[in-house]
Each structure stands twice: as structure tokens, then as C-alpha cells.
Amino acid sequence: MSGNFSLLPADIWHERLFNGAWVPSPLSPLNVIEPATGSALGRIGMADASIVAASSQAARLAQAKWFGLPYDERALVLRKAAQIAESHFEEIVGWIVRESGSVQAKAAFEASLCIKALHESSGLPSRSQGELLPSTAGRLSIARRRPLGVIGVISPFNFPLYLAIRAVAPALALGNSVVLKPDPRTTVCGGFAIARIFELAGLPEGVLHVLPGGAEAGAALVSDPNVAMIQFTGSTGAGRKVGEAAGRHLKKVSLELGGKNSLIVLDDADLDIALRNATWGVYLHQGQICMSTGRLLVQRGIYERFVTRLVDKARSLTVGNPANGEVALGPLINAQQRDHAHRIVQEAVKAGAKLETGGSFEGLFFQPTVLTGVQQHNPAFHEEIFGPVAVVVPFDTDEEAVSLANDTDYGLSAGIISKDVGRALQLGEQLRTGLLHINDQTVNDEVVNPFGGVGASGNGTSIGGAANWEEFTQWQWLTLKADAPAYPL
Ligand code: NAD
């Protein structure tokens, strides 16, 4: 596969959507806005409820044939998809940078996660699909995993490619068809790239649909009778609505939602290392990550030195257009997100916090910010900011650190930095989170791990690695006898 041709030439997707073919939409197209410059990178075709319904029906028809293919043919499509993504790596990274405002390093990391997810998924079709159960003599009793049918995937803007493909790839590999509704702000890198990768990999027409649209299109997908399951990644507010609607329609639903994640720095930590972890966890992708470090809990003995150095560090971080070269922070996704972060910083100060640095913005470029003196009644302590804001809180004892970290409805990720691994583990065991990192910050994903949160961060599902079998298949009990028995009635 040569990387010489373009994966995403505008003439293929301009004012179109993907239902197995690239078709124009009758709705008004939407501009693809580059957050760093405000300029339009193209226009996408939008989907409404009737388009969602037609795609869901077509996906249902296509699914049986797709699952009926020999398992190694399905695996081959996934392997080819990985190769295509590899050979268009730079182009994909370029789109993530320009369309989502990612810095280069984050975009490259995201593209490599996407490739890894495709490779990992290509191994799923050839694995054992179930188990042989004990039964009465002469009866073969099998528990086997079957695809669910059509999976509706609804994805967010922040890791647009990976958070879509982490569901799309294993769902397809396990014999489902997929209707993907990416976030309308990141449809090219988070949707059309996936459509093109699979189109070029030879995925049969109709097995994957990519329908740009907003909440209404998402809601139509959730209520569609042809869709068996919804895999949703996004905010807790929208996730609740999706969960309620899925429950009403008796649909399996996987909800990967928001977080308010603590990084706990114990007083025996190497200060330099702790600062590097904090800086990464708080400021990577401008803080727009579900696993971003939303609270820095720092033990009193090193608190003052930690704050001084964090403020210096925050002031030294470069902010600018990531398409023009290496910067530490790019723009926030849009004015709404920027105003949300700004509002929380202002409310935090009103509620008694001290603004050590930052707090202001120019266009969508928000200065790296540090807040101290944030008490538990402060909105900055509880709300997910989704902006580059460090919320630093001191603590005295390990018990206090546990109680501060657990004082949230969310439960996605936590990190603890300490030279005493035993102490850190003992503390970590008491935290209510789906992801726990001893001697690492809160933002981590390796594709092969189960990923999910507790409390308001999800509904108890996980995605990734072995969890994908639970996520994208359903058990069937199959029995087989040579002859039907003569029952006594
Ligand atoms: P969002 O909830 O506004 O949007 C996410 C997706 O849901 C978009 O595609 C949107 O169009 C769609 N949507 C919105 N309302 C809907 C509805 N009523 N019915 C169906 N679909 C609907 O989230 P966002 O602002 O784009 O993303 C940021 C949020 O996502 C943060 O809270 C972040 O923590 C969370 N997130 C979670 C994870 C995770 O894996 N746990 C990963 C990334 C982001």
C-alpha cells in the first residue's frame, strides 16, 4: 500500500457523508473549522433522523453477510486497515492537529493508538469464540459469543480518532456492523478517516456508515430499532440521556463519560518527577481529556515548593497554533468550551481560590492556569473543567488524600507519585476509580487494557483488550443431540 495518494482528498468527502458510498446530504452542510485560525477546512454533509434510519437498516442487512464471511477474511480487512493507517500516518496526524487543535505529539500518539487498535482487533476473529460446557451424556453444550448486530458508536471531539476507532475496530472484527456518529466538530479526523481506511481495506459496502451530526442524530441512533447496542463516549450529561433512552428501548449501552481525576503527590516524591507528571496530566491537550488531572493533591511538606515550581512551569509553556510547529498547548476546541473553562476559573476565584497564574485567553488560546486555595465547596474542586487549569490542594495525611480524591461523583482515573510503592498502593486501594496508576499521572491508555470508570464516569462497562469481548458480543447457549428425546408428557 503506497502512501503517495491522499487518504482524505476533499473532493471525496466534501459536503458528503458515508453510507458505504460517499453520498451528498440533502441537509445544509457544516463548515469544518480549524480552532487555531477559525478558517474553514471544508464542509461536511450532515445526517438527520431519516438518514440515520436508512443507514441503520442497511447496516443490519449487511451485518449477516459480514459475519457469514470466513473469519480470516474479516481479519484480513482489519490487517489491511492497519496498513493503510500506517501508510497515511502523517496525513492523519495533520488532520488531527488542524481539525481538533492537538499538538503534534498528542496527534502522533493518537494516530499510533489507532493503528494499534486495528492490529489488536485483527486478532479477534481467529480467537476462541466460547467454551464447551459440561452436560448430559450425548449432548453437546456450547456457550458461544455472537455479534450483537448493528453497533451505534457516538464519539467526542477530544481524542476523535482513537475514541471512535477503539469501538469501531473491535465491533467490526467481532462480526458486527457499525453506524458511527462522530462529533460534528471533528468529523474528518474522527469519522471520515475511519470510513476511508475501511473503504480502502475492502470492507464490504454497508457494514460501516459514518454519519456526521449533532445530538439529534445521536438520539435517533439510540432509539433506532435496527441498532442493538450504543457505545457512547462523551459528557456525563449527554451520557445520562443516552442511557435513559437506551434503557427505554432495551438496548445494551456502554457509557464512557467524564472525570475529575486526582493525582496524589506524597511527600517522599521526587519533586522534579512529580512536576513533570503533574504538567503532563493537567495540560496535555489543553486539559481536554477525560483522564486529565483535575485535582493535584500535594502533601503539605512539599506543597509550597511544588506550587512555586508548577507556577514557573505553567508560565514557561508555549501556547500557539500547533500546525506551525512545536508548542506545548494548542487552542481549545471552540468558544463554548473556552467560556466554560473561563467561567469555572472566575467562579473559583469568587469562592476564595487564588489565581497564581493564567486565567485569561486570546481567541481560543487559554493560558496555562494554576489555582490554589481551592476548598471542597469550590466549583473548581468538583466540576470537570476540560481546560488547562491546575487545581492544587494540600493534604496532611494519607487518609485525608483518600477522602479528598473520593469526594466526587466521578470515578475514572487516579495517579499516585511516591518512592514508597507499598504506601502508594495501600492508598490507591482505597480510591474509587476504574483506572489507577501508581507512579504515573492520570492520562494513560495502552489499547490492550480494559478502560472504564465507576460512578458518574460510566455505567460499569469497559472497552479495550479482553473487555472488548464482553462489550461487542452476546452469549448464546447452543445444545446439540443426535436425536430429540421422548419427553414423558
Ligand atoms: P458531548 O457529550 O457533548 O458529546 C459527545 C458526543 O455525543 C458527540 O458526538 C455529540 O454530538 C453526542 N451527543 C450529545 N448529546 C447527545 C444526545 N442527547 N444523544 C446522543 N448523542 C449526543 O461531549 P464532548 O463535550 O464532546 O466531550 C467531552 C466529554 O467527554 C467530557 O466530559 C469528557 O470527560 C468525556 N470523555 C470521556 C471519555 C471516556 O472514555 N470516559 C473519553 C473522552 C471524553
Side-chain angles (χ1 to χ4, degrees), residues 155 157 163 166 181 185 232-235 257-258 290 384 451:
S155 51
F157 73 84
L163 294 176
R166 75 172 176 175
K181 193 214 74 65
R185 293 165 289 187
F232 174 90
T233 304
S235 63
L257 310 175
C290 53
E384 187 184 42
F451 184 106

Side-chain angles (χ1 to χ4, degrees), residues 148 150-156 163-164 166-168 170-171 176 179 181 218 221-222 227-236 238-247 250-258 412 449-464 467-473:
L148 288 141
V150 182
I151 312 285
V153 176
I154 302 175
S155 51
L163 294 176
R166 75 172 176 175
V168 173
N176 302 285
V179 178
K181 193 214 74 65
L221 195 57
V222 181
V227 175
M229 175 198 172
I230 294 291
Q231 200 293 310
F232 174 90
T233 304
S235 63
T236 298
R240 265 186 222 286
K241 289 186 195 156
V242 168
E244 280 167 17
L250 299 182
K251 249 172 230 198
K252 184 172 177 178
V253 63
S254 153
L255 303 173
E256 302 294 341
L257 310 175
L412 190 55
N449 51 284
F451 184 106
V454 305
S457 293
N459 64 336
T461 56
S462 283
I463 189 166
N468 284 336
W469 285 98
E470 250 351 291
E471 187 91 330
F472 298 116
T473 65

Side-chain angles (χ1 to χ4, degrees), residues 116-255:
K116 197 168 167 186
L118 289 165
H119 278 298
E120 283 298 320
S121 298
S122 74
L124 293 175
S126 58
R127 303 231 179 101
S128 166
Q129 314 283 301
E131 51 193 84
L132 198 59
L133 303 174
S135 188
T136 51
R139 182 190 225 195
L140 200 58
S141 176
I142 297 169
R144 59 176 184 170
R145 291 185 179 274
R146 310 276 288 169
L148 288 141
V150 182
I151 312 285
V153 176
I154 302 175
S155 51
F157 73 84
N158 63 330
F159 261 76
L161 176 62
Y162 176 59
L163 294 176
I165 214 154
R166 75 172 176 175
V168 173
L172 291 175
L174 291 167
N176 302 285
S177 55
V178 172
V179 178
L180 166 63
K181 193 214 74 65
D183 189 291
R185 293 165 289 187
T186 47
T187 290
V188 181
C189 65
F192 288 171
I194 296 171
R196 281 288 285 159
I197 286 169
F198 279 107
E199 183 185 27
L200 294 169
L203 184 74
E205 197 170 321
V207 178
L208 173 65
H209 301 245
V210 178
L211 306 181
E216 265 173 53
L221 195 57
V222 181
S223 63
D224 194 283
N226 286 305
V227 175
M229 175 198 172
I230 294 291
Q231 200 293 310
F232 174 90
T233 304
S235 63
T236 298
R240 265 186 222 286
K241 289 186 195 156
V242 168
E244 280 167 17
R248 207 159 47 244
H249 294 280
L250 299 182
K251 249 172 230 198
K252 184 172 177 178
V253 63
S254 153
L255 303 173

